[in-house]
Amino acid sequence: LAKTTQPVSMDSYEGQEVNITCSHNNIATNDYITWYQQFPSQGPRFIIQGYKTKVTNEVASLFIPADRKSSTLSLPRVSLSDTAVYYCLVGSSGSARQLTFGSGTQLTVLP
Amino acid sequence: GAVVSQHPSRVICKSGTSVKIECRSLDFQATTMFWYRQFPKQSLMLMATSNEGSKATYEQGVEKDKFLINHASLTLSTLTVTSAHPEDSSFYICSARQGLGTTNTEAFFGQGTRLTVV
């Protein structure tokens, strides 16, 4: 399973755009990149998933360069409620494959 | 999206007793479910993979006789912490992925269970 490296923590202010970058140098050809959000004492919640280039949904965008050795989660106009731990996961497909969590990034949104 | 329900959300038990945690996939069938443990300020650590109709696969360092996993149906997996001790106090989270085969699918997580052993 590909190992991921993320910043331990980040601070931002309300209304700003936040970009969290994840490194995954040994990503395999069939690996997808998935980001999860976790609030204290709750299970992780799916944010976005991608394989290459750019993916956008109603809450975030995911940018993946051509070499796929890194990815950037972009949260537009964050609010206080976006304060959480964000995990970048890289793994192969298949419903029977477990997800391996890295250390995650603690995002703190300040007023 | 699909829902994974975990019960109870919080439990306090006495040292030496056993506690059962249930994980249900509410609107899809999950042949495989995963159990994680999370200590304060730490990431999720995979404990075991629960397979419907067969034995669970445990990660290195996880005692299978202490953490009993039963996946009796396609929608229910249970984790029983036997003879619990204070060091077993943690946040336990289950997960399931929808779909079969090689199609990549997102994982859905339960709400987690806060276990406190006193």
Side-chain angles (χ1 to χ4, degrees), chain A residues 30 32 34 36 38 40-46 49 87 89 91-104 106, chain B residues 31-32 34 36 38 42-44 46 49 59 91 93 97-112 114:
Chain A
N30 59 347
Y32 281 74
T34 312
Y36 285 83
Q38 187 183 28
S41 296
Q42 292 187 27
R45 184 175 72 99
F46 174 88
Q49 183 181 76
Y87 292 97
L89 283 78
S92 56
S93 60
S95 59
R97 301 298 180 97
Q98 75 274 25
L99 295 178
T100 299
F101 284 78
S103 56
Q106 170 67 58
Chain B
T31 55
T32 305
F34 307 98
Y36 294 83
Q38 186 176 32
Q42 294 187 24
S43 184
L44 284 76
L46 180 68
T49 301
E59 295 300 300
F91 192 55
I93 308 169
R97 296 176 79 167
Q98 189 177 13
L100 299 173
T102 59
T103 301
N104 196 69
T105 58
E106 66 180 86
F108 300 95
F109 289 83
Q111 309 94 311
R114 174 74 59 192

Side-chain angles (χ1 to χ4, degrees), chain B residues 49-62:
Chain B
T49 301
S50 171
N51 303 299
E52 187 268 336
S54 64
K55 292 182 179 180
T57 303
Y58 291 82
E59 295 300 300
Q60 190 173 10
V62 178

Side-chain angles (χ1 to χ4, degrees), chain B residues 58-72:
Chain B
Y58 291 82
E59 295 300 300
Q60 190 173 10
V62 178
E63 301 176 57
K64 62 180 181 181
D65 294 330
K66 180 170 185 62
F67 298 100
L68 301 179
I69 291 174
N70 186 299
H71 195 151

Side-chain angles (χ1 to χ4, degrees), chain A residues 1 3 11-12 19 26 50-51 54 69 74 78 87:
Chain A
L1 296 172
K3 178 179 169 58
D11 290 344
S12 181
N19 296 308
N26 58 340
Y51 183 81
K54 176 184 175 182
K69 293 184 182 300
S74 181
V78 294
Y87 292 97

